[in-house]
Amino acid sequence: LKNLVKIYENMKPKDAAAIFEKLDLPIVLDVIEGMRVQKSGAILAQMDTARAEKVTAAIADRRKLPQMP
């Protein structure tokens, strides 16, 4: 996973975005969460808005803390 993160961080955001739009969501999430914020933000900005929205929502869902009963 670390190698994938490095590969996508070193790509142009537009090129990485084109690939992220076709990858399965769990893979995209794992890679984006390993990236620096500046790089992942630039990629999200280049993505189709509907797909970027899904990725953003999924990241938010992953980071929610479990609710206490």
Side-chain angles (χ1 to χ4, degrees), residues 5-21:
V5 170
K6 287 180 185 179
I7 289 168
Y8 285 105
E9 279 188 331
N10 287 305
M11 293 177 81
K12 293 180 181 178
K14 183 178 180 180
D15 295 336
I19 296 169
F20 279 11
E21 288 178 359

Side-chain angles (χ1 to χ4, degrees), residues 2-67:
K2 288 181 182 182
N3 287 336
L4 284 176
V5 170
K6 287 180 185 179
I7 289 168
Y8 285 105
E9 279 188 331
N10 287 305
M11 293 177 81
K12 293 180 181 178
K14 183 178 180 180
D15 295 336
I19 296 169
F20 279 11
E21 288 178 359
K22 296 180 181 178
L23 282 175
D24 290 335
L25 189 59
I27 296 169
V28 173
L29 296 176
D30 287 342
V31 173
I32 282 185
E33 288 184 335
M35 297 176 97
R36 292 176 296 212
V37 174
Q38 183 179 8
K39 293 287 185 173
S40 60
I43 292 170
L44 284 169
Q46 293 292 319
M47 292 175 71
D48 171 74
T49 54
R51 177 68 168 178
E53 181 182 346
K54 286 181 186 178
V55 171
T56 302
I59 291 169
D61 284 344
R62 274 190 171 192
R63 294 181 184 224
K64 285 183 182 174
L65 295 175
Q67 298 296 318

